[in-house]
Amino acid sequence: MKITTLVLLCCLSVVLTKCSSDESLKKESNSTYMASKETVDNNLDGIVVIGNKTWMRKNLSVTRFRNGDLIPHVVNPSQWESITQAAWCYPNENAANNAVYGKIYNWYAVADPRGLAPVGWHVATDADWTELLTYVSNNGGNWDGTSGLPLNGNKVAKALASKSYWNTIFPTGTTFFGQIGINANLNNLTGFSALPAVSRESGGSFWYTIGDAGYWWTSTAYNGNSAWYRNMSYNYMPLSRSFEDKNAGYSVRCVKD
């Protein structure tokens, strides 16, 4: 009887110790779990392989870094203008835009060592975007059927742009010159599905109407104050490259490591 009681007490002790340990582990890993779940639910439901790179087909939409830390949601324009740390907002600060266009981030979020991209991914570098442009242009992605990069700019925006959501002010019957907004049935040859979310100026105000243009940060700095980005517009044919202040707000695309 005493042996049976002792065995039962030992078993109970093991169970209680395991439960306590499991609960402690659960609390310790909870923030990381939430970040992982958010990543799986919102970002990894579509990928596309273009050349030697695997890209997400959606703009990034996370509110936590890879380690589970929250990224500040900054609404106020003055605060956005003066902030020198990571921040995000909704396009036009309207949560309804998130489902299609993802979130807007400043470059401080892109460069944060805690990791904006999910595990196994990274925010596309300037070199990643250049490789994408070059591959598409050299492999039938120019809107006019030519191959290679012309001296006066590229012609690949249409092959990268989604078939939907881009604005157009062109009248019916307008000649097709490679603009994204004309004859959208011919868009997205690559499956990249670029979307025209607005950008947020370094001053904190939103630029463009949703549907007009898409802006994407690269993870590559230009200098101490600016970083490289890519953009395309509904009424233009190239994927353009320039740099902007790091507290501007753009979409983000990720590439598999």
Side-chain angles (χ1 to χ4, degrees):
M1 187 64 156
K2 290 181 179 180
I3 294 176
T4 302
T5 302
L6 181 60
V7 171
L8 288 173
L9 288 173
C10 287
C11 290
L12 180 59
S13 175
V14 170
V15 170
L16 290 176
T17 300
K18 185 178 187 304
C19 289
S20 176
S21 176
D22 287 350
E23 185 63 27
S24 175
L25 180 62
K26 182 178 178 182
K27 288 179 180 178
E28 290 175 5
S29 65
N30 188 50
S31 61
T32 303
Y33 165 76
M34 286 190 293
S36 299
K37 184 177 187 302
E38 179 182 56
T39 296
V40 171
D41 288 351
N42 297 330
N43 298 285
L44 298 184
D45 59 351
I47 60 175
V48 59
V49 178
I50 302 175
N52 295 319
K53 302 287 186 183
T54 300
W55 292 76
M56 288 185 184
R57 294 184 65 201
K58 296 177 67 175
N59 293 337
L60 194 67
S61 180
V62 297
T63 58
R64 293 177 181 269
F65 289 111
R66 188 182 297 179
N67 71 347
D69 289 350
L70 280 169
I71 306 168
H73 178 192
V74 177
V75 178
N76 183 276
S78 297
Q79 185 182 359
W80 185 278
E81 179 181 17
S82 62
I83 199 168
T84 56
Q85 63 184 17
W88 70 271
C89 64
Y90 294 113
N92 277 349
E93 201 43 56
N94 183 345
N97 292 325
N98 184 77
V100 172
Y101 300 104
K103 293 179 173 62
I104 299 293
Y105 300 91
N106 64 14
W107 197 80
Y108 298 110
V110 172
D112 196 288
R114 288 170 288 183
L116 184 63
V119 174
W121 296 77
H122 63 268
V123 175
T125 65
D126 185 56
D128 287 331
W129 281 97
T130 298
E131 183 177 334
L132 172 71
L133 185 158
T134 303
Y135 180 87
V136 172
S137 182
N138 288 339
N139 290 273
N142 290 345
W143 69 268
D144 59 358
T146 60
S147 182
L149 294 170
L151 296 176
N152 60 343
N154 66 79
K155 304 176 180 181
V156 304
K158 199 168 187 67
L160 295 169
S162 170
K163 291 180 179 291
S164 304
Y165 303 109
W166 289 88
N167 291 337
T168 177
I169 58 172
F170 305 105
T172 302
T174 299
T175 304
F176 168 62
F177 288 117
Q179 292 95 330
I180 295 170
I182 294 180
N183 196 357
N185 288 331
L186 299 180
N187 287 9
N188 210 23
L189 174 68
T190 60
F192 187 80
S193 302
L195 292 164
V198 296
S199 63
R200 193 168 191 177
E201 292 183 299
S202 56
S205 60
F206 290 97
W207 189 248
Y208 284 106
T209 300
I210 284 185
D212 280 354
Y215 286 76
W216 297 270
W217 277 125
T218 80
S219 59
T220 307
Y222 173 72
N223 58 27
N225 300 313
S226 306
W228 290 106
Y229 71 88
R230 292 298 200 280
N231 78 286
M232 60 180 74
S233 173
Y234 78 101
N235 60 351
Y236 208 40
M237 68 183 74
L239 172 67
S240 300
R241 174 181 184 254
S242 190
F243 56 88
E244 184 54 272
D245 292 345
K246 293 177 179 179
N247 61 335
Y250 298 148
S251 303
V252 167
R253 283 293 184 100
C254 296
V255 177
K256 198 169 185 179
D257 294 341

